[in-house]
Amino acid sequence: MARARWGRSWLSKGRPDHPPVVFASRSENAMRISRLDREAERIGLRKGHGVTEARAICPSLDILPAEPAADRALLEALADWCDRYTPLVALDGDDGLYLDITGCAHLHGGERALLDGLLSSLFALGVEARGAISSSPGLSWAVSHFGEGGVIDADVAEAALAPLPTPALRLPKDTAEMLGRVGLKAIGDLLPLPRAPLARRFGPLLLLRLDQALGLEDEPISPRLPVPVLSAERRLFDPVSSADDILALSAHLAGSLKEGLERRGEGGRLFALLLFRVDGRVFRIHAATSAPQRDPDRITLLFRERLAAVHDGLDAGYGFEIVRLCVLTAEPFETVQEGFADGTGDSCSLSAFAERIVARFGPDSLLAVTLAESHLPERAARLAPILDRLESERAVGRNGAAAVTATACMDRPLRLFTPPEPVETMAGVPEDAPKSFRWRRSLYRIARTEGPERIAAEWWIDGENQPSRDYFRVEDEAGRRFWLFREGIYGEQPHLPRWFIHGILA
């Protein structure tokens, strides 16, 4: 709200002459303060104060309604922005972030330089923050929330924790209050005490949090986004904004990724292009392939289509200062020797065409018929994204997929009716194939018949009383072929059997 009212650089320019600002939400059947700025803290307001009491303390108080969704969106945007420091970024509640910078600090001049640069950049963006770097997430959390922040070495962890209050251990409110009632108000009061009585009195969580803060217990961080298999980036002195410049950088980064994929013997299946805008906003553009891919030209072509598809939503602003290309999913890359007559060229052309269409118009823009696990005709096939179909054919093998498709096309009609349409039939013997049938007010005299093919009902879906079907392939005197079925068996139920036409063979 401060950035929207006073500009993105309001912190560096100084807060304008404005009453204290607080956010209020309903809690415990009353409107209470949920967020407040430093000016409101300076006059004595705190979280949980009632709005009426706060208004009595400061009549000019600027009270705004709380917006948790907007708070979450801002926190996630800041997490995207922090990806420039490390890909391992996790959310901490509704007002904090964890950054695992293991192996990343040297890229930014060391831990202290990284922390100073991060906080100064946030300050320039109009975001007031405090941070700490240490060997454990618990210690960093405690020092950043209840201390002055900074870089804490492992050998001074106890000295940094000792003066902090017990809530710095991320304890439940009732546990912190119980500790305070017995005079244990600071973490330093807990350190020399025997551990067994503490565990019996206050529970094992107290000792767990204490050990996590001291680095004696591991505390893993769960990143909010999948960690890339490989990534390559360019930090630009002059920001770029045109699509051609972005694609040129993407091609260069794809060439860098190719070397890493070749060493691993893999190809990328899902790629992500990250564009870090100068003002802190981050754009993520994904592109998927039907088979493992590491050809820079093919990857660049996919992102050309993706950029064309998201052109209206890609606001370059003052330009992008960091361009990063990541491999999110990789699979073993099988090298195939192409020949003149094996048809591999057609398969590659189909894959390339499908990938470009999907990259431009989305995964559901191109569908293909795939077989399903059902013997009922109306359930035996479904429409699936073309990339999934190509992937399944690649996994099963080209010859096997062709044989299954050929069998299905030979036994089943070219066109199915959904649902099957009722017909009136006449037969010499009730259980025999019909001699003629009437469909859509037209009479068809049958010259040849093949069948029956009995298909039982799927009782686990339709119930045990669902009748079976007897299918007949019939040809009338004009050479037209139809697929009829008789639902039910004579004598089992009074209203059965019934005849339907399910499809047209030719």
Side-chain angles (χ1 to χ4, degrees):
M1 293 300 295
R3 283 154 48 97
R5 290 183 174 189
W6 307 321
R8 296 182 182 275
S9 58
W10 71 276
L11 280 175
S12 57
K13 293 180 180 179
R15 189 181 190 280
D17 187 11
H18 189 276
V21 180
V22 300
F23 289 86
S25 61
R26 179 165 294 278
S27 176
E28 299 177 358
N29 295 326
M31 294 299 294
R32 299 183 183 276
I33 294 177
S34 59
R35 295 286 185 274
L36 66 168
D37 64 356
R38 285 189 178 274
E39 190 66 20
E41 289 181 346
R42 188 186 61 81
I43 63 175
L45 297 180
R46 296 291 182 269
K47 290 182 181 180
H49 276 178
V51 171
T52 304
E53 179 185 358
R55 182 75 76 182
I57 296 175
C58 180
S60 61
L61 188 64
D62 187 2
I63 303 175
L64 301 174
E67 299 181 35
D71 295 339
R72 187 73 173 186
L74 174 61
L75 189 63
E76 291 182 349
L78 290 177
D80 287 336
W81 179 84
C82 288
D83 278 352
R84 66 187 62 211
Y85 297 100
T86 173
L88 302 177
V89 181
L91 301 180
D92 174 38
D94 55 3
D95 62 353
L97 297 171
Y98 279 123
L99 279 69
D100 188 343
I101 60 171
T102 304
C104 303
H106 69 281
L107 301 175
H108 304 274
E111 294 178 349
R112 189 170 298 278
L114 187 152
L115 181 61
D116 293 342
L118 188 150
L119 296 179
S120 62
S121 297
L122 288 176
F123 185 86
L125 292 174
V127 178
E128 195 172 9
R130 185 168 59 247
I133 295 179
S134 72
S135 58
S136 67
L139 179 57
S140 296
W141 192 95
V143 175
S144 60
H145 282 76
F146 293 89
E148 297 298 327
V151 179
I152 312 300
D153 295 329
D155 54 352
V156 296
E158 288 193 14
L161 277 175
L164 302 181
T166 53
L169 293 177
R170 298 171 294 168
L171 298 172
K173 184 179 179 180
D174 54 349
T175 303
E177 291 177 351
M178 289 175 59
L179 290 170
R181 285 196 295 267
V182 297
L184 302 175
K185 298 182 178 180
I187 298 177
D189 299 333
L190 300 173
L191 295 176
L193 298 179
R195 299 171 66 88
L198 286 177
R200 286 195 301 268
R201 179 75 180 273
F202 303 103
L205 181 61
L206 172 62
L207 299 182
L208 175 63
R209 291 302 192 191
L210 184 60
D211 290 341
Q212 288 176 343
L214 294 174
L216 303 178
E217 285 283 348
D218 291 334
E219 184 179 0
I221 293 177
S222 300
R224 54 186 290 269
L225 297 175
V227 180
V229 178
L230 289 173
S231 65
E233 73 175 25
R234 285 290 300 274
R235 296 176 179 266
L236 307 172
F237 182 76
D238 292 326
V240 298
S241 56
S242 67
D244 292 338
D245 292 338
I246 295 173
L247 289 172
L249 289 170
S250 300
H252 176 75
L253 296 176
S256 302
L257 291 178
K258 181 181 180 180
E259 300 176 2
L261 290 171
E262 287 178 344
R263 287 194 300 268
R264 298 168 61 97
E266 296 178 334
R269 285 293 312 276
L270 180 61
F271 297 86
L273 181 65
L274 278 65
L275 305 175
F276 294 80
R277 207 166 65 180
V278 173
D279 63 351
R281 187 174 178 183
V282 182
F283 294 88
R284 297 178 183 271
I285 304 173
H286 295 84
T289 63
S290 60
Q293 189 59 247
R294 58 192 184 197
D295 181 16
D297 295 335
R298 186 93 168 260
I299 298 171
T300 305
L301 184 60
L302 291 180
F303 281 107
R304 182 183 296 276
E305 300 294 343
R306 292 294 297 129
L307 288 176
V310 302
H311 181 269
D312 295 337
L314 188 65
D315 182 10
Y318 291 104
F320 302 106
E321 58 181 351
I322 301 177
V323 179
R324 180 185 299 166
L325 183 61
C326 303
V327 180
L328 298 182
T329 305
E331 293 180 0
F333 187 87
E334 299 178 1
T335 304
V336 179
Q337 178 66 43
E338 296 186 2
F340 290 110
D342 57 3
T344 55
D346 295 337
S347 176
C348 292
S349 299
L350 176 61
S351 298
F353 169 76
E355 290 169 1
R356 292 186 63 182
I357 294 297
V358 170
R360 173 70 71 91
F361 301 107
D364 296 329
S365 60
L366 201 60
L367 304 177
V369 178
T370 60
L371 298 179
E373 294 183 356
S374 176
H375 55 267
L376 289 182
E378 61 268 27
R379 299 173 182 169
R382 62 183 178 87
L383 291 176
I386 184 66
L387 294 186
D388 295 344
R389 168 66 181 270
L390 294 175
E391 164 62 19
S392 63
E393 287 187 357
R394 185 179 65 86
V396 173
R398 189 176 181 84
N399 296 333
V404 172
T405 304
T407 302
C409 292
M410 180 179 63
D411 293 342
R412 296 294 179 255
L414 299 176
R415 178 186 176 189
L416 284 178
F417 296 120
T418 304
E421 299 184 9
V423 296
E424 298 176 2
T425 63
M426 293 186 64
V429 179
E431 290 82 2
D432 200 0
K435 299 298 183 180
S436 65
F437 68 93
R438 186 178 299 276
W439 172 52
R440 294 182 180 179
R441 300 182 180 179
S442 298
L443 181 64
Y444 299 87
R445 299 187 183 277
I446 298 175
R448 294 192 299 171
T449 304
E450 182 182 359
E453 175 192 358
R454 177 160 294 182
I455 298 180
E458 295 178 341
W459 56 266
W460 58 93
I461 297 178
D462 301 319
E464 296 182 357
N465 296 326
Q466 187 70 15
S468 60
R469 301 176 182 179
D470 289 333
Y471 278 87
F472 295 86
R473 287 183 288 274
V474 301
E475 180 179 329
D476 69 352
E477 295 175 348
R480 293 168 295 201
R481 296 182 178 180
F482 306 93
W483 206 35
L484 307 179
F485 73 86
R486 179 179 59 215
E487 184 182 67
I489 300 176
Y490 282 98
E492 286 191 351
Q493 296 182 8
H495 63 281
L496 296 177
R498 296 180 299 174
W499 283 88
F500 296 88
I501 181 172
H502 205 164
I504 298 177
L505 291 161

